[in-house]
Amino acid sequence: MSLQDLNPINLETKSHDNPANRTLISGYLVTSFRHTENGVPEAFGNELILGADPAGTQEFGFNKLALGINKRFSDYAWVAAALELATHVEGGKTEVETELDIGNINLMAPIGNGLIFTLGKFNSPVSFEQEDAPFLLQATQSLTYQFASPAKMTGLMLTYPFSINLEARLIGFNGWQSDGDNNDAKSLAFQLGYAPVYWVNTKFSYIVGAELEDNSRDLRQVFDLVATLNPGNWLIGLEMAYGREENQSLVNPGDDAEWLSGQVTLHYDFVKYFGLTGRYSFLADFDGRADIEAPHRQKRTMNEVTFAPVFHISPDFLGYLGMGMIPQSQHLISGIDVRFEYRYDWVNETGPNTIFEDEAGNPVNNRHSFIVALVARF
């Protein structure tokens, strides 16, 4: 099993079979220049590495530093932990946030092909995209990643590989909140991953649990389907998620709130120094989902399209790491990436309030962003 699933900033080029490499220390940092025409007054959903800036942002930034430790005791026991320092804008001021990003203990029971128990805090295995910057294909993340599933899970995950191209996961976790819990209920997730051929990886996930604050009765259900295709120098990511939450419709009080989200990502590596990424994602919130206030709860459809040329500055460190679970569809990454991203967001809303605002604080329905991000992995 690849330890990348448990500690995504792990350098997969190191081998635990060598005693000198059984304790691995790795990490990454992100710096950027950001220009944002209209802005977001406050972050919501899964917080983005970049993209939650206020209107009129034109500044350089040191955005994130992540340090990870992975200790392999044997083929049957290992631990993983990562500490993250990140900056984000809150109330017009830049705040520094320190977080235990990952921390888990892993044990493998010698049952069949090996039943893996992971206990602690780990990255959610649901989405096509990953949280950590070295494994992204552009600077910001999609609306599907931001709203359609949790970014982190704290709980117990069981993983069993039936074969080289089929695996299953069962997860019991606190909820979509990465730290603590907002009610007395717990959530469950089931995932089945299957690769019919070596360049196609699919996974189906089902998530159920009460996710609203001080509400342990009304369940949220999410069905998420991901396909990662890797023909030649292409990497194609497809994801569709449908969710419903009991008794939470704002449009028809007493009915369930329903929403639909999806994304299409196309990435092509022309040479080992250069690639291009294009992406479209959307979230159709049909009933004013209760935890997407953004900043006001109402029926809306959000869209974004992103275009991002990527330059690999340190080709000596180029390697292939998976975008998904076992088996993994792969894409090219390097020690240092320079990413130029243009992103256009627009929203259709039925109420008087909007997600975006201009520099004067007036509501608007679109946003243009330009980001240059430098990502270094070590």
Side-chain angles (χ1 to χ4, degrees):
M1 178 179 181
S2 169
L3 296 185
Q4 182 207 336
D5 294 343
L6 306 173
N7 180 8
I9 62 176
N10 174 47
L11 290 180
E12 211 174 60
T13 53
K14 302 290 184 67
S15 171
H16 73 271
D17 296 326
N18 183 343
N21 291 329
R22 283 181 178 165
T23 299
L24 307 179
I25 300 176
S26 58
Y28 68 90
L29 57 87
V30 181
T31 64
S32 68
F33 175 78
R34 309 185 304 283
H35 170 77
T36 303
E37 177 195 23
N38 299 317
V40 180
E42 59 185 55
F44 54 96
N46 294 328
E47 188 171 335
L48 307 178
I49 294 175
L50 303 166
D53 296 308
T57 296
Q58 296 190 59
E59 64 184 24
F60 293 95
F62 175 44
N63 306 104
K64 182 176 288 191
L65 170 65
L67 293 173
I69 300 175
N70 196 309
K71 170 66 175 179
R72 167 72 78 158
F73 298 95
S74 70
D75 288 338
Y76 301 98
W78 63 95
V79 298
L83 183 67
E84 179 182 287
L85 286 82
T87 60
H88 64 279
V89 178
E90 185 172 328
K93 297 181 179 180
T94 300
E95 303 286 343
V96 178
E97 180 181 273
T98 302
E99 180 183 13
L100 178 60
D101 190 54
I102 290 174
N104 50 71
I105 299 173
N106 306 272
L107 302 172
M108 180 187 292
I111 300 173
N113 295 327
L115 177 62
I116 301 165
F117 294 80
T118 300
L119 181 63
K121 182 179 179 181
F122 41 87
N123 281 353
S124 167
V126 175
S127 297
F128 162 73
E129 291 175 297
Q130 298 190 37
E131 181 190 43
D132 295 301
F135 305 101
L136 295 179
L137 301 170
Q138 59 283 313
T140 60
Q141 285 149 322
S142 68
L143 295 170
T144 304
Y145 178 87
Q146 188 178 3
F147 295 111
S149 66
K152 301 289 184 184
M153 294 177 173
T154 301
L156 173 64
M157 177 169 65
L158 305 181
T159 303
Y160 185 79
F162 291 94
S163 66
I164 195 172
N165 65 342
L166 179 66
E167 69 167 4
R169 276 185 168 84
L170 180 64
I171 309 169
F173 61 107
N174 286 338
W176 287 34
Q177 293 68 36
S178 60
D179 294 301
D181 201 356
N182 62 357
N183 57 44
D184 294 331
K186 297 295 176 274
S187 297
L188 292 174
F190 172 76
Q191 183 179 89
L192 187 66
Y194 176 61
V197 293
Y198 75 93
W199 55 274
V200 176
N201 176 22
T202 64
K203 53 185 180 180
F204 171 77
S205 303
Y206 171 69
I207 309 172
V208 60
E211 302 296 346
L212 297 180
E213 186 171 358
D214 298 324
N215 182 338
S216 301
R217 303 175 307 279
D218 297 323
L219 296 180
R220 176 184 299 168
Q221 298 183 74
V222 178
F223 301 85
D224 188 282
L225 180 62
V226 172
T228 305
L229 315 178
N230 190 212
N233 291 334
W234 284 95
L235 190 143
I236 303 169
L238 308 172
E239 183 171 4
M240 186 65 68
Y242 165 77
R244 64 186 303 158
E245 198 145 13
E246 293 178 341
N247 305 314
Q248 296 303 312
S249 175
L250 181 67
V251 176
N252 298 301
D255 289 349
D256 295 345
E258 295 182 283
W259 48 270
L260 185 68
S261 185
Q263 68 90 24
V264 178
T265 298
L266 303 175
H267 177 81
Y268 186 80
D269 288 308
F270 293 91
V271 292
K272 67 179 182 178
Y273 298 97
F274 177 70
L276 282 175
T277 302
R279 182 186 67 208
Y280 167 74
S281 68
F282 74 95
L283 173 77
D285 184 3
F286 304 118
D287 295 284
R289 190 171 123 190
D291 65 341
I292 304 184
E293 298 183 359
H296 301 281
R297 182 183 174 190
Q298 59 195 36
K299 179 180 178 180
R300 56 167 58 90
T301 299
M302 293 181 276
N303 303 269
E304 65 90 15
V305 62
T306 299
F307 177 75
V310 180
F311 293 88
H312 303 302
I313 301 301
S314 53
D316 290 342
F317 293 93
L318 284 174
Y320 285 92
L321 290 176
M323 286 294 292
M325 299 298 106
I326 306 170
Q328 298 179 4
S329 298
Q330 298 177 329
H331 82 291
L332 200 62
I333 64 173
S334 69
I336 299 178
D337 273 353
V338 179
R339 302 168 185 174
F340 296 85
E341 176 180 300
Y342 167 73
R343 173 169 174 157
Y344 177 64
D345 291 84
W346 71 101
V347 59
N348 301 315
E349 302 183 89
T350 58
N353 304 298
T354 62
I355 292 175
F356 305 117
E357 62 182 20
D358 60 20
E359 292 186 64
N362 300 313
V364 293
N365 62 6
N366 62 74
R367 178 184 63 175
H368 297 271
S369 301
F370 178 72
I371 298 170
V372 182
L374 189 65
V375 180
R377 179 175 62 99
F378 56 90

